[in-house]
Amino acid sequence: MVSILTNIKYTNKLVQKYSKLTRSINEEYINIHPIQRGGILTAEAYKALIAYGDGYSLCDNCLKGRIDKIENPPVVEFLEDVASYYNIDKMMLTGAAREAKRIAMGTMVKKFPDRKTVIIDSNAHYTTYLAIEVNNLKVREVPNSGEPEFKIEPADYDKLITQVKEEGESPLLVLLTHVDYKYGNYNDPKLIGDICKKHDVPFLLNAAYTGGVLPIDCKDFNADFITCSGHKSMASSGPIGLLGFKEEYTDDVIVFSKIQGNITSKSFPNKICTVMGCPPVYGAPLMTLMASFPEVVKRTQEKNAEEESKKINHVVDIITKIEGIQLLGKYPKVHPLTSIKTEIFAEIAKTHPRKGFFVRDEFKKKGIIGMLPGISKDMKFSTYGLTWPQVKQLSNAFVDIAKKYT
Amino acid sequence: MVSILTNIKYTNKLVQKYSKLTRSINEEYINIHPIQRGGILTAEAYKALIAYGDGYSLCDNCLKGRIDKIENPPVVEFLEDVASYYNIDKMMLTGAAREAKRIAMGTMVKKFPDRKTVIIDSNAHYTTYLAIEVNNLKVREVPNSGEPEFKIEPADYDKLITQVKEEGESPLLVLLTHVDYKYGNYNDPKLIGDICKKHDVPFLLNAAYTGGVLPIDCKDFNADFITCSGHKSMASSGPIGLLGFKEEYTDDVIVFSKIQGNITSKSFPNKICTVMGCPPVYGAPLMTLMASFPEVVKRTQEKNAEEESKKINHVVDIITKIEGIQLLGKYPKVHPLTSIKTEIFAEIAKTHPRKGFFVRDEFKKKGIIGMLPGISKDMKFSTYGLTWPQVKQLSNAFVDIAKKYT
């Protein structure tokens, strides 16, 4: 036995510190944080979460040394079903959507080592920029129309691709954020996909906020790659991401190990280098994603997606009638992620004893949480998955708070 | 609204397929799969799992745009506590231990671009080899003594480092698997750490099977890096890994983003490129790790770790008296991960109607699961965390099955 002691002691104080990791407020409040709405677990996912809570729970069922080859529970079939759901040839599990973007770009770098430019919309998530950075690539942004719409024009993709080509380089990859994190603007992927096809450049659709929320058809969109987030939009505990790709990229994405031990000659030809053998989704992340999948299929049927659009447009219509509240982003809304300017609240904050924190206080009194603390000038929220009474609770809260202070 | 349909339909068949993702057998059986024993959730972790089950649950509490800066729940303090627990300067969260190894090697590559060789023990996990491969490095294995002990001699590390240096290159990194996945052999890190210090080469301790199971003191070991697994050995749902490192590597490991949007001038200097902003551990993985931490501290106190050694040695002592069962790996055992050759079962399988599957059948009848199906020649198991009655249930099972067939 090694005769050392751990450098931190098991004390009552230590137990106390880590004993209050509960989150019971969820049951009493509506959480309108856009990052949360699409990830809320279904009842089926909760059951899977508890059953597969232990570390490597799923690996008990691994007979072939790879998570994507497990047949019972039906992981193999699930990956086929998800590929079919997004209508793309192949589907790979990753640690998160950001990892999927990193991997997709890395794949393209290997395929086209001379190409360095990634064209993205200027509303892209910071992880899109980081995926470019860690792959040592150059970013070129498609402009947006600025306040208040921050709209991306497909024609600008065409222009920029042409421009990069005229500068002497074929773009490595063109990326579109299906719905962006900030304004929740919906972009039609087909328009960009067709432009990419015309220019013969690969097209990646980042569907972190839409895969599992809106209908998606990669073949129709001419998308070469799609990146999705289980915990953001597919009712999975996660973290778990998905990278969908066209058949032709299979050998570039799924890179099998070739290393060999110099003494032992050990080799691992069955293991995928791209995800370090297996992606880190061994138990609860994947099982909750699978458990929620039927519900996710159901909720993305067109009529359900349209009902969700109605909810957010209902709220937007009511609250933008309040003087000092202005929608940022396009209208009408397709996706419920919404950004507003709240000059009315910023004014109130100037003289309120709680300053900007009053916004969160007031909404919390009305059973609504998820705002950033201390922020009164603007706000982001999502109505995704709220019931109609909750939708009305939210719009009423805006109206009542505005009335209270004016 | 986009007018497309999802390509898979919500049907009863779909619902059925993903409706049986339960794992209730756990309650009736002891699972002796070595990959599972250290990851079994504590009661506190179960509570956290349920409270933080939703996708990005922890991100509600994020005020500074980084998971490692969240103060409530106490993530900041937790990272300090875990660093203190392993007695290393800094601690970073990663997707899994394999990611931690990939990152540590990538860090060293940037620091020493001319160095290409990673020296590892020849019992290292396949992900150690893959981390070397994805970083485009060369592997050099320290030999082991072969059957039956598969022992690694510290003197061979000294020899190999010297040899690589004589060949004209300073090794990029020296890695020791604290306890290996196959034989469960315990290696004293201090002996290797001292050799590395003498040669002035960085030392990484892979503690995937030991961090959270055995006492660890990186300063005493002279370890530059430590890689740990929350779901393997720290009673976390995970997947979640930890990368501990010496202060002097901080700027190499924690690489802040420098990219800038060419039109928007957007930049993200607060985001860490190494983990794509934040590592994929946003909700349940980190919260269960934190919830189990006090218990993990308690169970790695020396007397508890010694008690676990007694359990496995008790089983080994009894079952190796059975003719046709032989221990692989060193004896006595420090860590409960154990490998045995089971010629007795291989013999029985030759004429048994269920062939090699009879082994799993027989153990299952005795309330024990976790064996690979169809395998009768050898077996891996761990007694970690079993009660003494369960330990005896396990050793009795071997004796009874042997008796039944001889």
Side-chain angles (χ1 to χ4, degrees), chain B residues 168-355:
Chain B
E169 191 202 340
S170 196
L172 180 76
L173 189 68
V174 170
L175 182 147
L176 174 72
T177 312
H178 198 184
V179 162
D180 73 84
Y181 75 102
K182 194 151 185 196
Y183 310 108
N185 279 348
Y186 179 86
N187 295 297
D188 185 349
K190 189 164 170 51
L191 301 177
I192 312 304
D194 286 346
I195 292 166
C196 290
K197 198 178 178 185
K198 184 182 83 179
H199 287 285
D200 192 25
V201 291
F203 172 42
L204 185 155
L205 180 66
N206 180 18
Y209 271 109
T210 51
V213 165
L214 293 175
I216 285 179
D217 184 327
C218 290
K219 295 227 162 115
D220 182 52
F221 297 163
N222 282 315
D224 293 79
F225 296 97
I226 183 169
T227 53
C228 310
S229 169
H231 47 285
K232 211 173 225 166
S233 306
M234 295 177 77
S236 161
S237 177
I240 187 166
L242 291 164
L243 175 61
F245 52 93
K246 278 190 185 166
E247 180 87 45
E248 64 191 270
Y249 299 107
T250 307
D251 296 343
D252 304 302
V253 176
I254 311 282
V255 179
F256 292 104
S257 173
K258 289 194 189 76
I259 196 170
Q260 202 168 23
N262 68 303
I263 291 180
T264 61
S265 297
K266 275 195 276 192
S267 64
F268 321 94
N270 183 43
K271 303 290 186 183
I272 300 171
C273 282
T274 328
V275 287
M276 291 293 292
C278 286
V281 300
Y282 320 123
L286 179 54
M287 295 315 289
T288 54
L289 183 67
M290 285 169 62
S292 284
F293 183 61
E295 189 57 35
V296 162
V297 169
K298 189 180 174 186
R299 78 190 195 182
T300 39
Q301 283 174 347
E302 199 165 325
K303 65 177 170 45
N304 298 339
E306 280 177 354
E307 189 69 11
E308 293 295 339
S309 307
K310 276 184 202 159
K311 289 178 193 168
I312 187 61
N313 284 309
H314 174 85
V315 173
V316 168
D317 289 345
I318 288 177
I319 68 175
T320 52
K321 289 205 183 81
I322 300 167
E323 204 174 329
I325 292 187
Q326 186 197 2
L327 178 70
L328 296 177
K330 298 192 286 186
Y331 179 87
K333 296 202 62 72
V334 174
H335 187 281
L337 194 165
T338 296
S339 188
I340 51 173
K341 262 173 96 168
T342 52
E343 280 168 27
I344 181 171
F345 295 154
E347 272 306 308
I348 298 164
K350 282 182 187 166
T351 55
H352 198 285
R354 290 274 294 149
K355 297 202 176 121

Side-chain angles (χ1 to χ4, degrees), chain A residues 90-362:
Chain A
K90 299 270 182 174
M91 194 55 73
M92 184 165 81
L93 299 165
T94 69
R98 57 190 69 188
E99 280 298 308
K101 286 186 280 186
R102 185 180 69 79
I103 289 169
M105 291 184 200
T107 296
M108 290 294 91
V109 168
K110 280 193 197 148
K111 199 171 172 72
F112 303 111
D114 296 336
R115 302 185 186 175
K116 290 286 173 206
T117 301
V118 181
I119 291 176
I120 68 172
D121 57 285
S122 50
N123 291 331
H125 193 248
Y126 84 85
T127 54
T128 297
Y129 290 83
L130 260 64
I132 294 169
E133 184 170 10
V134 300
N135 280 297
N136 298 311
L137 299 167
K138 275 190 307 188
V139 64
R140 291 289 287 269
E141 296 168 308
V142 173
N144 64 66
S145 62
E147 196 169 324
E149 280 201 304
F150 298 94
K151 199 174 166 179
I152 303 288
E153 289 294 348
D156 287 333
Y157 267 91
D158 200 1
K159 267 189 227 163
L160 187 52
I161 296 170
T162 306
Q163 191 183 328
V164 170
K165 284 188 161 181
E166 284 170 1
E167 290 166 12
E169 191 201 342
S170 197
L172 179 77
L173 189 69
V174 171
L175 182 146
L176 174 72
T177 312
H178 197 184
V179 162
D180 73 84
Y181 75 102
K182 193 151 185 196
Y183 310 110
N185 279 349
Y186 179 85
N187 295 296
D188 185 348
K190 187 160 172 55
L191 302 176
I192 312 304
D194 286 346
I195 292 166
C196 290
K197 198 177 180 185
K198 185 182 82 178
H199 287 284
D200 192 24
V201 290
F203 173 40
L204 185 154
L205 181 66
N206 180 18
Y209 271 109
T210 51
V213 165
L214 293 175
I216 285 179
D217 185 327
C218 290
K219 295 225 163 115
D220 183 53
F221 297 164
N222 282 315
D224 293 78
F225 296 96
I226 182 169
T227 53
C228 310
S229 169
H231 47 286
K232 212 173 223 165
S233 305
M234 296 178 76
S236 160
S237 177
I240 186 165
L242 290 164
L243 174 61
F245 52 93
K246 278 189 185 165
E247 180 87 44
E248 65 190 88
Y249 298 108
T250 307
D251 295 343
D252 304 303
V253 176
I254 311 282
V255 179
F256 291 103
S257 173
K258 290 196 190 73
I259 196 171
Q260 203 169 22
N262 68 301
I263 292 180
T264 60
S265 298
K266 275 195 276 194
S267 65
F268 321 94
N270 183 43
K271 303 289 185 181
I272 300 171
C273 282
T274 328
V275 287
M276 292 294 292
C278 287
V281 300
Y282 322 122
L286 178 54
M287 295 314 290
T288 54
L289 183 67
M290 285 170 62
S292 284
F293 183 61
E295 188 57 34
V296 161
V297 169
K298 188 179 177 190
R299 78 190 195 182
T300 40
Q301 284 174 348
E302 198 165 326
K303 64 177 169 49
N304 298 341
E306 280 177 356
E307 188 70 10
E308 293 295 339
S309 306
K310 276 184 201 156
K311 289 177 193 169
I312 188 61
N313 285 308
H314 173 85
V315 173
V316 167
D317 289 346
I318 288 177
I319 68 174
T320 52
K321 289 203 183 83
I322 300 167
E323 202 173 329
I325 291 188
Q326 187 198 1
L327 178 70
L328 296 178
K330 298 192 285 187
Y331 178 86
K333 295 201 64 72
V334 174
H335 187 281
L337 193 164
T338 296
S339 187
I340 51 173
K341 262 172 95 169
T342 52
E343 278 167 28
I344 181 172
F345 295 153
E347 272 306 309
I348 298 164
K350 281 181 187 166
T351 55
H352 198 286
R354 290 274 294 152
K355 296 197 177 126
F357 289 92
F358 95 94
V359 178
R360 201 152 96 145
D361 297 346
E362 289 289 353

